[in-house]
Amino acid sequence: MPRPAAPKSASPRPAAAPKSASARSAAAPKSASSQAACPRLDFRSDTRTVPDARMRAAMARAEVGDDVYGDDPTVALLEQNAARLLGTEAALLTPTGTMANLLAPLAAFGPASPPPRLIVGAGTHMAFLESAGLRRFGRIELAPVAQHSDGLPDLDALAALLSAPAGRPTVVCLENTSMMHAGNALDAAATRSVAALAHRHGAHFHLDGARLANAAVALDVPPAQLAGPADSITFSLSKGLGAPAGALLCGTSAYTAYARELRGWLGGSLHQAGVLAAPALTALRRLPDLAADHDKAAALAAGLAALPGVTVMRPPRPTNMVMARLAGLSAQECAARLAGHNVRVLPLPNHHVRFVTHRAHDMIGVRDAVGAVAAVAATAARGRPTTDGELPHGELSLTMEES
């Protein structure tokens, strides 16, 4: 599809534009999804990527079978390549990362086991965006644990939870990169520290590596080095890597075989899935390209940090996310005003808005986004920020899928 023509500046050009800057900045669509967003100014998520011509060509020529019967050759090749990339025995293609994260704890202890307890960081995707599905469909008991500013769970708090009687087996989950901590990449030592504690107490250790590719590129290490301590790994194909759909659940052959059975029960089996596996194979060859997305995020963070009234989170090991807060504006108000400049961001419950850079962006779009934030900040009330930047308990509510 042809891409829409990019605007010359970050400001909209309505037929009858208001004369005042304040009126322009306040003008926003009725809802963030009611108007089509310009791809190079849509920073809501890296799921906003679309398959390019090479991916579409791969889909058209994909050799297919029936993955329900286990004979789709393109799916088999994708799963083999993913297992090799992450250093596991096997991998399983799932329609979404959400399904992979539901299967992960359910498959951890086999069919004779009761539903497990899941210990997971309080500010993670699984804790407050997938918790309803985990509870309803998996009957899984969630136990949130406090996290440090880099996203690593507090090991003392984790040890206390692991020591407490649970009456059911336990799964410990670590998210890398850490979404609510500005996409910080956790290194292998951090992963090993959580894995060692989990294994010491007989727990299964799951790595929610939806953006593990970004972490590996940011840390300049192979993905398998970060995944090594984990018993299971979720790996997204449809975020920064740009495939149209899908995620992988990786682990031992026995583990993924049981997860495959559970996937069928959940309605996640696909027949001629090779048409989705083919662009995913293209995506796996593009891991080094993520470095360019990180460079764009770094330029965006630097530009925003230089603006009066704008506070930017600075994670120790940044990737492709930038979280910013404008003095005197709630996250929702900030997002609405930026939408009036055709810049789309995601408001978060920690009072920041999130920018995620990806392959559809360029440095011109980054510059225009900084200009839009500058325009909004200039007209915002210079009020005291509503929070110190930590994720407040009791405000973990956000409506979105595959963020």
Side-chain angles (χ1 to χ4, degrees), residues 273-285:
V275 293
L276 292 178
L281 282 165
T282 301
L284 288 185
R285 294 190 288 270

Side-chain angles (χ1 to χ4, degrees), residues 281-343:
L281 282 165
T282 301
L284 288 185
R285 294 190 288 270
R286 291 179 170 173
L287 263 70
D289 295 353
L290 296 175
D293 298 339
H294 299 176
D295 291 342
K296 287 175 278 193
L300 178 61
L304 295 178
L307 299 176
V310 179
T311 303
V312 177
M313 279 191 185
R314 292 292 198 177
R317 301 177 186 88
T319 54
N320 66 327
M321 287 189 193
V322 178
M323 291 188 182
R325 185 179 60 199
L326 274 66
L329 291 180
S330 68
Q332 290 75 14
E333 178 68 11
C334 180
R337 293 196 188 189
L338 286 173
H341 293 267
N342 291 333
V343 174

Side-chain angles (χ1 to χ4, degrees), residues 180-217:
M180 289 300 294
H181 297 83
N184 184 58
L186 295 170
D187 62 18
T191 306
R192 286 193 299 269
S193 68
V194 178
L197 187 54
H199 291 152
R200 195 178 307 141
H201 288 82
H204 176 103
F205 176 53
H206 175 63
L207 178 62
D208 182 3
R211 293 184 175 92
L212 190 68
N214 292 93
V217 169

Side-chain angles (χ1 to χ4, degrees), residues 46-393:
D46 41 10
T47 62
R48 303 294 295 175
T49 52
V50 295
D52 60 10
R54 186 176 299 178
M55 286 186 174
R56 291 174 188 271
M59 295 170 76
R61 63 174 182 266
E63 184 181 357
V64 299
D66 189 334
D67 188 47
V68 173
Y69 289 88
D71 61 12
D72 189 302
T74 310
V75 171
L77 180 60
L78 171 65
E79 292 175 344
Q80 292 165 11
N81 287 3
R84 189 178 305 115
L85 179 71
L86 296 175
T88 62
E89 291 181 3
L92 174 69
L93 177 65
T94 64
T96 66
T98 299
M99 179 173 282
N101 277 341
L102 175 58
L103 292 171
L106 289 178
F109 297 99
S113 172
R117 173 182 64 158
L118 177 64
I119 302 177
V120 62
T124 63
H125 198 283
M126 290 182 77
F128 73 98
L129 294 177
E130 297 175 353
S131 58
L134 289 162
R135 290 190 180 101
R136 176 170 294 186
F137 302 118
R139 294 182 293 125
I140 293 168
E141 174 191 325
L142 266 73
V145 63
Q147 294 169 267
H148 295 295
S149 59
D150 63 354
L152 184 69
D154 182 295
L155 295 183
D156 290 336
L158 177 59
L161 282 170
L162 286 167
S163 299
R168 56 174 72 193
T170 297
V171 175
V172 173
C173 177
L174 177 70
E175 183 183 66
N176 196 11
T177 63
S178 184
M179 184 185 71
M180 289 300 294
H181 297 83
N184 184 58
L186 295 170
D187 62 18
T191 306
R192 286 193 299 269
S193 68
V194 178
L197 187 54
H199 291 152
R200 195 178 307 141
H201 288 82
H204 176 103
F205 176 53
H206 175 63
L207 178 62
D208 182 3
R211 293 184 175 92
L212 190 68
N214 292 93
V217 169
L219 297 167
D220 194 24
V221 298
Q225 184 173 324
L226 300 177
D231 300 306
S232 58
I233 305 104
T234 292
F235 186 87
S236 178
L237 300 162
S238 60
K239 290 185 166 66
L241 293 177
L248 293 150
L249 179 61
C250 305
T252 66
S253 297
Y255 173 83
T256 55
Y258 183 44
R260 186 180 298 273
E261 182 179 354
L262 294 174
R263 184 189 67 176
W265 296 352
L266 291 171
S269 299
L270 299 170
H271 293 280
Q272 284 70 51
V275 293
L276 292 178
L281 282 165
T282 301
L284 288 185
R285 294 190 288 270
R286 291 179 170 173
L287 263 70
D289 295 353
L290 296 175
D293 298 339
H294 299 176
D295 291 342
K296 287 175 278 193
L300 178 61
L304 295 178
L307 299 176
V310 179
T311 303
V312 177
M313 279 191 185
R314 292 292 198 177
R317 301 177 186 88
T319 54
N320 66 327
M321 287 189 193
V322 178
M323 291 188 182
R325 185 179 60 199
L326 274 66
L329 291 180
S330 68
Q332 290 75 14
E333 178 68 11
C334 180
R337 293 196 188 189
L338 286 173
H341 293 267
N342 291 333
V343 174
R344 299 297 176 86
V345 297
L346 193 69
L348 294 174
N350 61 356
H351 306 285
H352 288 68
V353 294
R354 187 186 75 172
F355 297 77
V356 185
T357 54
H358 52 74
R359 54 200 303 269
H361 297 135
D362 55 26
M363 286 299 185
I364 296 174
V366 167
R367 181 200 65 193
D368 289 348
V370 172
V373 174
V376 170
T379 58
R382 296 296 192 267
R384 182 175 62 84
T386 55
T387 181
D388 62 2
E390 294 299 318
L391 189 66
H393 295 290

